[in-house]
Amino acid sequence: MPLVTTKEMFEKSIKEHFAIGAFNINNMEFIQAITEAADEAKSPVILQVSSGAIKYAKMNYLIKMVEAAVKETNIPIALHLDHGPDFETCKMCIDSGFTSVMIDGSKYDFEENVAITKKVVEYAHSKGVVVEAELGKLAGVEDDVNVSEDDARYTDPDQAKEFVERTGCDSLAIAIGTSHGAYKFKGDAKLRFDILAKIKEQLPDTPIVLHGASSVVPELVEMCNQNGGDIPGAKGCPDEMLKQAGETGVSKINVDTDLRLAMTAQVRRVFKEEPSVFDPRKYLGAARDEIKKTVAHKITDVFCSANKA
Ligand code: G3H
Ligand code: 13P
Ligand code: ZN
């Protein structure tokens, strides 16, 4: 089947209370691992690309590799721009064949965020592409956007309703306590499920998106550290919390950090255990297997999107 938008998969997720994994891709191994895991689980999946990924891999390579994955599999796959920084980047992705874009106006004030989101929605919808917008600020680093933890602002449920009505966006990324990267919580992990519930009350039919949702898998951090890495004190969102998020109204769960850890852990392990290896297929193959395992676990045991294709 060809690339799809997120419309149908989100409708199903709202009706059946599960979430769809949105995984960041940067090269062939990520694309193969994610789509093979989703295909084997018969799950819909979202492949997402940041501006940094486009700079690294180049648009044509990413598109062609995603097209290849679509041909190799038999599940709904959406291609999404992650954290689109401006109208021009969104337009470039829409014109290149993406089926979904995010305009991240969270760095602007409310009115400016409404204005830029509306502009992207108008163009995207004229081309049959759907739009994710963001309201509220995540702590940590979002691509080009730096938000200090003190500035972190949760999404206001009433503002969220006004924002969606005025912009016409198709899905909304919210801030309820997650953050990007490997250091999400200083003490215990805590998500504001009360705010999520209020947002869902206001917007029962709008797909809700959770960014910064890696669990920072302890085994992968340990494998990195045991093989020469230095990632002390990393902490993410526990699986149970993400499962609860999927069951209580989150339709899209964004994961990048966990796949970076999976790749790095295996590359480090092979380098340490087999110092004579210099065939990249040996360490990239092991990395691809670990990414696939990580994605399969999330899809089946945490997001519950297996057999929903
Ligand atoms: O939320 C940001 C994603 O993890 C993408 O990160 O801009 O380094 O590709 P990146
Ligand atoms: P993580 O850093 O938690 O993987 O979040 C990724 C993300 O939100 C991409 O938009
Ligand atoms: Zn994000």
Side-chain angles (χ1 to χ4, degrees):
M1 91 181 59
L3 276 177
V4 298
T5 74
T6 48
K7 197 173 180 312
E8 274 178 34
M9 56 177 94
F10 283 165
E11 278 169 6
K12 205 170 187 183
S13 92
I14 290 174
K15 232 194 260 160
E16 298 183 27
H17 307 284
F18 68 91
I20 293 140
F23 301 98
N24 285 73
I25 55 171
N26 291 280
N27 65 20
M28 183 187 77
E29 282 74 14
F30 283 101
I31 296 169
Q32 291 178 335
I34 296 161
T35 54
E36 280 173 24
D39 196 41
E40 283 170 24
K42 298 189 173 51
S43 165
V45 75
I46 299 166
L47 299 176
Q48 55 185 17
V49 176
S50 69
S51 306
I54 295 172
K55 213 164 161 188
Y56 173 77
K58 296 207 170 66
M59 186 65 112
N60 284 331
Y61 286 93
L62 287 169
I63 301 259
K64 292 293 173 199
M65 287 191 290
V66 170
E67 280 171 6
V70 165
K71 280 195 187 137
E72 292 282 334
T73 54
N74 192 26
I75 46 165
I77 300 177
L79 177 57
H80 173 77
L81 168 66
D82 189 29
H83 292 287
D86 47 40
F87 174 78
E88 289 69 32
T89 309
C90 292
K91 182 177 184 302
M92 175 183 72
C93 290
I94 293 164
D95 294 345
S96 301
F98 282 47
T99 55
S100 173
V101 292
M102 175 189 190
I103 174 68
D104 182 356
S106 63
K107 57 186 173 287
Y108 298 118
D109 68 27
F110 184 77
E111 287 302 327
E112 277 177 293
N113 193 355
V114 168
I116 189 170
T117 302
K118 259 175 93 164
K119 189 176 172 190
V120 172
V121 167
E122 216 165 90
Y123 186 74
H125 284 184
S126 77
K127 306 280 178 186
V129 169
V130 292
V131 178
E132 173 185 325
E134 179 167 332
L135 188 65
K137 286 193 173 82
L138 270 70
V141 179
E142 295 186 348
D143 222 352
D144 292 344
V145 192
N146 275 292
V147 186
S148 80
E149 217 170 330
D150 293 340
D151 282 334
R153 272 199 282 114
Y154 299 124
T155 305
D156 177 307
D158 296 323
Q159 258 197 351
K161 185 174 163 62
E162 183 189 341
F163 184 83
V164 171
E165 282 171 0
R166 285 178 59 191
T167 60
C169 66
D170 301 278
S171 59
L172 186 69
I174 58 165
I176 56 166
T178 59
S179 61
H180 292 104
Y183 301 92
K184 300 191 191 299
F185 303 101
K186 283 205 182 88
D188 289 341
K190 190 167 181 271
L191 294 188
R192 293 291 303 270
F193 284 104
D194 57 324
I195 297 179
L196 172 61
K198 285 194 184 123
I199 294 170
K200 283 308 285 184
E201 248 172 61
Q202 297 284 357
L203 295 166
D205 302 324
T206 302
I208 299 300
V209 180
L210 197 60
H211 281 249
S214 277
S215 18
V216 189
V217 184
E219 294 78 17
L220 296 175
V221 174
E222 201 182 310
M223 202 192 297
C224 286
N225 288 339
Q226 275 176 355
N227 291 289
D230 183 19
I231 316 173
K235 192 185 261 180
C237 302
D239 280 354
E240 312 80 66
M241 276 190 186
L242 296 169
K243 193 164 185 203
Q244 188 181 343
E247 286 164 355
T248 56
V250 168
S251 288
K252 173 174 180 269
I253 297 187
N254 283 13
V255 176
D256 187 359
T257 297
D258 281 342
L259 307 192
R260 296 178 179 195
L261 287 170
M263 172 164 272
T264 305
Q266 281 297 344
V267 170
R268 282 195 176 282
R269 185 193 61 76
V270 174
F271 282 174
K272 184 159 179 215
E273 287 178 6
E274 302 171 68
S276 61
V277 163
F278 60 92
D279 179 345
R281 292 170 296 190
K282 293 262 163 55
Y283 51 87
L284 291 179
R288 185 173 56 188
D289 290 347
E290 192 68 46
I291 295 169
K292 185 172 169 181
K293 204 169 94 188
T294 305
V295 171
H297 165 66
K298 287 180 186 294
I299 284 176
T300 304
D301 307 323
V302 186
F303 306 160
C304 304
S305 63
N307 299 312
K308 303 286 189 186

